[in-house]
Amino acid sequence: MGNILNQIGIENYIFLSVLLFCIGVFGVLYRRNAIIVFMSIEIMLNAVNLLFVAFSTYHQDAEGQIFVFFSMAVAAAEVAVGLAILVSIFRNLGSIEIDKLKNLKG
């Protein structure tokens, strides 16, 4: 049995990654809930990570996979900080809707 990338084809990985990225962009642009916006950003990040792993496997080089490892570590820290900020905002305002957060400007 050969490499899984040869069986499926890199074009399908690219198509899936573009589809996931577009879903993420749609979520960021059209949703008003801050948690959904964070989830959409994570979907976009994971779409890029999928491309890194696919191209890394295609070129038989582990640098892309190492970059994905560090990218996922940074994303986990970003989610923890972002959710902590959202919890703090929810305690003060009672809502995390994007339209109400625009009023926090100084």
Side-chain angles (χ1 to χ4, degrees):
M1 189 172 293
N3 188 357
I4 191 73
L5 193 61
N6 293 334
Q7 294 175 358
I8 295 176
I10 196 164
E11 301 85 17
N12 292 323
Y13 286 104
I14 294 171
F15 177 74
L16 178 62
S17 180
V18 168
L19 181 69
L20 286 172
F21 195 85
C22 289
I23 290 170
V25 168
F26 178 78
V28 167
L29 293 178
Y30 294 108
R31 298 303 294 234
R32 295 292 170 228
N33 192 333
I35 292 177
I36 305 244
V37 171
F38 273 135
M39 287 173 34
S40 299
I41 291 170
E42 290 297 319
I43 289 174
M44 292 167 37
L45 182 64
N46 284 329
V48 173
N49 285 342
L50 176 66
L51 270 183
F52 275 133
V53 170
F55 283 125
S56 175
T57 304
Y58 181 75
H59 291 292
Q60 297 177 350
D61 187 17
E63 289 180 6
Q65 295 174 13
I66 293 169
F67 186 77
V68 167
F69 177 75
F70 288 113
S71 172
M72 290 176 76
V74 169
E78 174 248 334
V79 166
V81 170
L83 286 177
I85 291 171
L86 286 179
V87 166
S88 175
I89 290 172
F90 182 77
R91 285 184 181 172
N92 290 332
L93 296 179
S95 175
I96 52 172
E97 297 295 318
I98 299 292
D99 295 332
K100 293 182 181 179
L101 295 179
K102 291 179 182 177
N103 295 333
L104 294 176
K105 294 179 185 176

